[in-house]
Amino acid sequence: MNLDVPSGRRKTIKFRTRNFSIEDERYWIQPSRCTSVDMSSREIINKLNEMEQEEKLFITYDVIEINPKFATVGGSIFEFINNSMRPVLKCHLSQVKDTNMLHLIAASFFKRSDLHEIWAKCEYPIFAGLLVVYVSNKMRKLFLEQHEPVIAEAFEKIQDTFDDECTALLDQCFHNSERDTRAVLDTNYHLFIHTDGCPSTAEDMEVMALAAAAKAKNFLSHPACQREIDFRWQPGFKLGQMAFCLFFFFPPLFFLRGRQRIKKREIKTMMVKMDMAGQMTSITYSNFMIRVYNFYTSPNAKYVIHTLFRLIYVIFYAYVLMTMTRKTMVMNELDEFLDEMAIIVWQCAYLTEMAVLVYQRGFYNWAERNTADLYRNYLVAMTMIAWSLAVIAPPTWPIRAFAIISADLFFYFSFVFATLRLMKIANVDAFFGSIVLMIKKMIPIMVKFMFVFMVFWFTYAVCHISLAGHLKSTPNITDVVWPWLLFSSGAFEIFGEADEEDKLGTVSKCSSAPLNWDVITDSSVQCWFKTSMIPVFLFCYMLVSSVLLVNLVTALLSKKYEDIDKVSHIYWKYKLYSRLIEYEEKLWIPAPLSLVFYILKFLFYFLSKIPFIGAIFECFMKVLRCFEGTNYARDRRKNRRYEAVMNGLIKNSDRWTGPTEEEKNAVQSVRDQMKIMEQDRKRKRYETDLLRHRFEEIMSEIEHTNRFKRIRSQTFNNA
């Protein structure tokens, strides 16, 4: 069905409110119910109805809920697809100009078999291919949540296939021209894919951002993407991480050995400024000094600063814990835990950073990219709440004692999490990054296998406590002792550390002497039974836990290690882009100084609204903005406008909204390479079909020969 309908034409279609069943033909052919849709949306809905009739995917597996404003299932599917694609398309589906891309998006939601044929017709193949990867990844997660592994596996196969196809297309462009490939990765496709007048053309999204959202690991691990990431991570000079730290803290090294030993990068030395007449002119400074400036303003420099303060935070945290001597919290004795208050203030800075980022990006978008920071801030918030209750609550309240214990518990957990978060710093190195990935993937196996350990552990602990008579030997036992007895009985035996009393079968109020067969009493028989069974239970438990279970979990971890080791380098390279975006947008001032920054910014913002004196504080606001993180997309659009002014294309930079010639050439180069790939694919398909037909002809000729008939008849007779 042709989807090429003018977007300007609109038609209001009204129907009476009627409920049709899925088997009713009217359920599929009614476009909408009392709703206004344009003709392009109507064509898409009709196409989705046809696909759903063939595949029976969304209704069969309850993927969507029927929207009452649409009379057909296609309308509900259309709304679902539109909401799913809005984070990357930034617009309504009807505002996408390429109809083949619309058809490809719809077909990818239904895992159609003709995706490659539709993809070859798209005007922007590399962007459209990554959209298929994005859709497949979302649908794979959706069906995994619905416990449909077969369908999820089908979408995963499509995701991997198009990830490889887009990587192959990028590789072909890379071998054809590395410079054009960098322009391809830097192209803003929102200037191409939307219809005229669409407000989404003001959006900016690079290809690598779409690949990161689609989890296209092979694409982002390609050398072209890695060079672009490395160039933005450390412009000016190319150094190893250890050498970068040395040059960062000892600037004289630039003048002693920098010019001769440091590998230079290709950078643009043009800078733009406004003259007195309001015209833009270009100025060029010393090439070496610009490289040094880019060195100290790079995301890697920001990474070094934040890492240094993170190490200071962990060391100071450890010092506070080791020197903490207080036993209670009293309002009149706050000077006894001022060091703890310093840690709390430091943690408040982390909470403030999270609040600002959540306000800017939204909670779900931030939490998806910073899951570990979210859990850390949960611990920090719980620590602060418990700490506040412990300080404010009167001594007579019972909740005060539990608040003190909770505050200390969360305080220790927060330190453990802070030290473990140091592993994230090591992700900058390939070796440590692979190790962190393996630990992250092995933790779920350990957590699941812990349940198996706990079954045998609990069984042995109950039997051991009953036989040894620990509860009877402790008459004043409380409920708090019960968990400790269950934990201590069998915890260390897993690692082969058995207690000597358990080896000897020591039981309270029972002697270790052998059973006297001449004088047999009830108590002597029971003591003999208990003292004999404790070593037997210990032997069986250690045999199962130390030998069977430990070796079993070791085998599972070894298999997981072998599987991860094959793709660990790809996953590490894929994560480099997330690290780059994180430190490009991160504040230059680390915690706890960032708390002072946000307080001053909040104060200056309100003071700048005051008449007459507001201009002074507005200048202070501009100074504070220099310490904020940069948005690469926004800066790139600004630089393109300046370049357009310098090239004489426009006079006012604010009027520049279209793509540059470099972007147009990059898009055209991808189309040309896509045509070459499609021709090679058709040629290989033709050769394969030719070989298959020739093989079938040869087999047919063999079957009609007399010798073959005679051999086949002899075979049947012998059988």
Side-chain angles (χ1 to χ4, degrees):
M1 181 175 293
N2 184 19
L3 298 178
D4 193 5
V5 181
S7 60
R9 296 173 55 190
R10 297 183 62 86
K11 183 177 180 181
T12 302
I13 309 167
K14 295 185 178 181
F15 298 93
R16 291 179 297 174
T17 304
R18 297 178 61 182
N19 295 323
F20 302 125
S21 63
I22 297 179
E23 291 77 11
D24 196 336
E25 183 180 0
R26 290 171 293 179
Y27 183 82
W28 303 93
I29 63 175
Q30 299 288 350
S32 63
R33 175 187 298 159
C34 296
T35 185
S36 177
V37 295
D38 54 21
M39 294 301 295
S40 58
S41 299
R42 182 184 179 187
E43 292 292 331
I44 299 172
I45 291 174
N46 291 335
K47 187 66 178 179
L48 293 174
N49 280 327
E50 295 177 4
M51 292 183 179
E52 180 63 18
Q53 280 184 305
E54 296 176 4
E55 302 292 339
K56 297 291 191 300
L57 182 66
F58 284 82
I59 296 299
T60 304
Y61 296 98
D62 294 330
V63 177
I64 60 172
E65 295 182 0
I66 301 300
N67 195 326
K69 74 176 183 179
F70 293 105
T72 64
V73 67
S76 301
I77 297 174
F78 174 75
E79 187 178 27
F80 171 78
I81 295 177
N82 190 39
N83 294 332
S84 300
M85 300 304 297
R86 189 172 292 275
V88 291
L89 292 180
K90 309 293 184 181
C91 69
H92 197 269
L93 286 177
S94 60
Q95 295 175 323
V96 176
K97 184 165 51 177
D98 188 4
T99 56
N100 290 317
M101 184 183 294
L102 285 175
H103 192 186
L104 180 68
I105 293 173
S108 60
F109 273 94
F110 288 91
K111 56 181 179 59
R112 299 291 293 266
S113 59
D114 56 346
L115 288 174
H116 283 86
E117 289 76 8
I118 304 173
W119 182 46
K121 302 176 184 178
C122 294
E123 296 183 12
Y124 315 104
I126 200 166
F127 189 84
L130 290 175
L131 286 179
V132 176
V133 181
Y134 176 81
V135 171
S136 303
N137 180 58
K138 290 187 70 69
M139 296 299 288
R140 178 185 63 84
K141 292 181 179 178
L142 179 63
F143 280 100
L144 282 178
E145 293 175 356
Q146 295 189 353
H147 306 287
E148 295 290 344
V150 177
I151 302 179
E153 185 178 354
F155 278 107
E156 184 178 6
K157 184 178 180 181
I158 296 175
Q159 179 184 358
D160 296 338
T161 301
F162 271 85
D163 187 8
D164 295 337
E165 291 288 347
C166 293
T167 306
L169 179 58
L170 180 66
D171 186 69
Q172 191 161 333
C173 296
F174 183 71
H175 286 290
N176 183 54
S177 174
E178 181 179 353
R179 183 181 180 87
D180 292 341
T181 306
R182 290 178 60 180
V184 169
L185 296 176
D186 204 41
T187 299
N188 178 21
Y189 276 91
H190 285 289
L191 299 175
F192 295 92
I193 65 174
H194 300 300
T195 56
D196 296 336
C198 179
S200 298
T201 54
E203 299 288 341
D204 201 342
M205 186 177 189
E206 57 182 338
V207 176
M208 289 191 294
L210 176 58
K215 302 294 189 296
K217 299 180 179 62
N218 292 331
F219 186 89
L220 284 176
S221 61
H222 189 271
C225 295
Q226 291 300 305
R227 290 188 182 184
E228 183 67 18
I229 292 172
D230 191 40
F231 178 81
R232 287 165 54 180
W233 175 253
Q234 186 178 301
F237 299 100
K238 187 174 183 179
L239 294 169
Q241 192 60 40
M242 294 300 297
F244 185 94
C245 295
L246 289 176
F247 277 80
F248 182 85
F249 291 108
F250 301 100
L253 292 176
F254 282 106
F255 302 96
L256 296 177
R257 307 182 66 183
R259 294 177 181 270
Q260 294 80 16
R261 301 294 298 274
I262 301 179
K263 184 177 180 180
K264 298 180 180 180
R265 292 186 182 276
E266 177 188 358
I267 62 172
K268 295 182 179 180
T269 60
M270 186 187 74
M271 301 182 66
V272 181
K273 71 173 185 178
M274 300 289 295
D275 57 12
M276 298 299 295
Q279 300 293 329
M280 293 186 180
T281 58
S282 63
I283 54 177
T284 305
Y285 295 106
S286 170
N287 191 24
F288 179 77
M289 296 306 298
I290 289 180
R291 294 179 189 276
V292 174
Y293 171 79
N294 290 334
F295 179 89
Y296 279 100
T297 57
S298 64
N300 198 1
K302 197 182 300 184
Y303 164 82
V304 172
I305 295 174
H306 283 266
T307 300
L308 177 62
F309 275 80
R310 173 74 64 174
L311 291 174
I312 295 174
Y313 169 69
V314 172
I315 294 173
F316 180 63
Y317 208 148
Y319 170 79
V320 170
L321 288 177
M322 290 187 295
T323 58
M324 187 170 59
T325 58
R326 61 161 180 82
K327 297 182 179 180
T328 183
M329 294 181 179
V330 184
M331 289 293 295
N332 298 329
E333 300 176 358
L334 292 179
D335 55 338
E336 293 186 2
F337 48 98
L338 289 177
D339 48 0
E340 297 179 51
M341 294 177 62
I343 295 294
I344 295 297
V345 172
W346 206 316
Q347 293 175 343
C348 285
Y350 290 127
L351 287 178
T352 306
E353 290 180 2
M354 184 194 75
V356 173
L357 292 175
V358 167
Y359 174 76
Q360 294 175 351
R361 306 174 188 173
F363 177 77
Y364 292 104
N365 292 333
W366 178 85
E368 186 178 2
R369 293 172 53 182
N370 303 273
T371 307
D373 291 337
L374 177 65
Y375 293 142
R376 178 201 64 191
N377 291 327
Y378 278 157
L379 284 175
V380 170
M382 295 301 297
T383 304
M384 295 177 62
I385 293 173
W387 194 82
S388 301
L389 288 176
V391 172
I392 298 174
T396 57
W397 288 13
I399 195 176
R400 176 184 172 82
F402 291 99
I404 294 175
I405 296 175
S406 301
D408 291 341
L409 180 64
F410 288 123
F411 200 66
Y412 283 109
F413 281 164
S414 181
F415 172 74
V416 172
F417 201 88
T419 54
L420 293 179
R421 287 287 290 156
L422 290 177
M423 298 296 293
K424 185 179 180 180
I425 300 175
N427 280 336
V428 72
D429 183 74
F431 174 76
F432 293 106
S434 300
I435 292 178
V436 172
L437 170 64
M438 292 176 185
I439 295 174
K440 181 180 178 181
K441 296 295 183 180
M442 290 179 181
I443 286 177
I445 296 179
M446 290 295 299
V447 173
K448 294 178 181 178
F449 207 84
M450 184 60 67
F451 174 76
V452 181
F453 273 111
M454 291 182 66
V455 170
F456 291 92
W457 186 356
F458 179 76
T459 304
Y460 172 76
V462 172
C463 295
H464 180 267
I465 293 173
S466 177
L467 292 172
H470 288 310
L471 295 182
K472 294 180 180 179
S473 61
T474 311
N476 297 325
I477 191 170
T478 61
D479 294 336
V480 181
V481 183
W482 276 84
W484 171 248
L485 285 176
L486 290 174
F487 173 80
S488 60
S489 299
F492 302 101
E493 284 80 355
I494 297 176
F495 308 101
E497 298 181 5
D499 193 358
E500 290 295 332
E501 294 183 356
D502 294 336
K503 293 180 182 179
L504 299 175
T506 304
V507 180
S508 61
K509 298 182 181 180
C510 287
S511 63
S512 58
L515 179 64
N516 188 0
W517 293 95
D518 296 332
V519 182
I520 297 179
T521 61
D522 295 342
S523 60
S524 62
V525 172
Q526 290 181 5
C527 287
W528 171 79
F529 171 76
K530 292 181 178 180
T531 54
S532 302
M533 290 303 297
I534 287 179
V536 173
F537 269 100
L538 177 64
F539 171 78
C540 296
Y541 175 68
M542 293 185 66
L543 179 66
V544 174
S545 61
S546 301
V547 179
L548 177 63
L549 297 182
V550 171
N551 285 289
L552 180 59
V553 72
T554 303
L556 290 175
L557 294 177
S558 300
K559 183 179 181 302
K560 191 68 175 179
Y561 172 82
E562 294 176 357
D563 296 338
I564 298 174
D565 186 55
K566 300 176 183 177
V567 296
S568 59
H569 63 288
I570 296 178
Y571 189 85
W572 175 75
K573 292 179 180 179
Y574 158 72
K575 282 295 184 181
L576 290 181
Y577 180 77
S578 301
R579 183 200 63 183
L580 172 66
I581 297 300
E582 176 186 357
Y583 281 95
E584 279 183 343
E585 299 177 354
K586 189 181 283 290
L587 191 69
W588 273 98
I589 303 175
L593 302 179
S594 59
L595 184 61
V596 180
F597 171 83
Y598 286 119
I599 292 175
L600 291 177
K601 185 178 179 180
F602 182 78
L603 181 63
F604 290 159
Y605 173 77
F606 285 99
L607 292 177
S608 63
K609 303 299 181 180
I610 301 176
F612 304 109
I613 63 173
I616 300 176
F617 294 100
E618 184 64 30
C619 296
F620 290 147
M621 288 286 293
K622 292 181 180 179
V623 174
L624 292 179
R625 291 192 190 101
C626 298
F627 296 96
E628 294 180 349
T630 60
N631 186 289
Y632 179 75
R634 183 178 63 247
D635 293 345
R636 178 180 57 180
R637 179 179 290 272
K638 181 179 179 181
N639 292 334
R640 284 171 178 164
R641 291 176 179 177
Y642 287 159
E643 290 178 2
V645 173
M646 298 306 302
N647 295 330
L649 299 178
I650 57 174
K651 294 183 179 180
N652 188 357
S653 62
D654 295 333
R655 297 181 180 179
W656 180 254
T657 58
T660 62
E661 291 297 328
E662 186 180 13
E663 289 178 324
K664 294 179 181 178
N665 296 333
V667 171
Q668 185 60 41
S669 66
V670 175
R671 292 174 186 166
D672 297 338
Q673 297 302 322
M674 184 64 187
K675 292 179 181 178
I676 296 175
M677 281 187 58
E678 189 62 22
Q679 291 175 359
D680 292 341
R681 187 181 291 109
K682 290 181 179 180
R683 178 179 55 81
K684 292 179 181 178
R685 189 184 301 117
Y686 174 76
E687 293 176 354
T688 303
D689 294 340
L690 189 64
L691 290 174
R692 186 177 67 253
H693 290 316
R694 182 56 182 164
F695 178 77
E696 292 176 355
E697 291 176 358
I698 294 174
M699 292 301 299
S700 178
E701 292 176 359
I702 293 175
E703 289 180 357
H704 288 83
T705 58
N706 294 329
R707 184 179 179 184
F708 181 80
K709 293 179 180 179
R710 185 170 59 254
I711 294 174
R712 185 170 58 181
S713 62
Q714 291 177 359
T715 303
F716 285 135
N717 292 332
N718 293 332

